[in-house]
Amino acid sequence: MAGAGNAIRGSRVGAGPMGEAERGDAAPRQTVTYFCSHDHRSVVTFAIEASVPESWDCPKCGLPASLDSENPPPAPKIEPYKTHLAYVKERRSETEAASILDEAVALLRSRRKAGEIIF
Ligand SMILES: [Zn+2]
């Protein structure tokens, strides 16, 4: 729900400042609009002589954004805000694996003491 509201507001804001950017006082500037796969529009202002990068990190969600509104770059498989969680999960399963291994070794030892042969 919040996402839809933001998209509408974002497009209104994006449509607005076009005229504003043209009355640059000192250095001539160009405005470039980037589109990310979350339908965010990011209007970035560059100096007129600057070479405009083909992609830009969306300031709203951090995903890569491109100049082509029809073809925004696909979101990476792991989004930035998920990376930490994935890392924590990974760590947790490592810890679990280690404790499972400890249990298995303890079990193996206790069975060996009991005279069982386990391969
Ligand atoms: Zn975005």
Side-chain angles (χ1 to χ4, degrees), residues 36-40 42 58-63:
C36 81
S37 59
H38 284 173
D39 291 330
H40 296 140
S42 310
C58 173
K60 294 187 178 102
C61 67
L63 293 179

Side-chain angles (χ1 to χ4, degrees), residues 13-87:
V13 170
M18 289 308 194
E20 213 175 314
E22 276 175 33
R23 56 180 171 88
D25 324 281
R29 290 175 187 276
Q30 55 183 325
T31 56
V32 181
T33 306
Y34 291 96
F35 303 87
C36 81
S37 59
H38 284 173
D39 291 330
H40 296 140
R41 289 157 151 239
S42 310
V43 180
V44 184
T45 304
F46 295 97
I48 201 81
E49 71 269 16
S51 61
V52 174
E54 284 181 14
S55 68
W56 192 261
D57 286 345
C58 173
K60 294 187 178 102
C61 67
L63 293 179
S66 78
L67 297 168
D68 185 354
S69 63
E70 299 300 314
N71 276 306
K77 281 176 186 159
I78 298 174
E79 294 182 14
Y81 73 92
K82 283 181 182 169
T83 305
H84 180 68
L85 184 61
Y87 177 75

Side-chain angles (χ1 to χ4, degrees), residues 81-119:
Y81 73 92
K82 283 181 182 169
T83 305
H84 180 68
L85 184 61
Y87 177 75
V88 169
K89 278 185 179 172
E90 202 174 295
R91 296 288 299 182
R92 190 182 297 161
S93 66
E94 265 175 31
T95 310
E96 278 171 9
S99 70
I100 287 166
L101 187 64
D102 284 347
E103 279 175 23
V105 169
L107 187 64
L108 195 62
R109 282 180 184 155
S110 70
R111 282 190 185 175
R112 271 190 186 154
K113 277 183 197 163
E116 287 185 46
I117 300 167
I118 299 171
F119 288 102

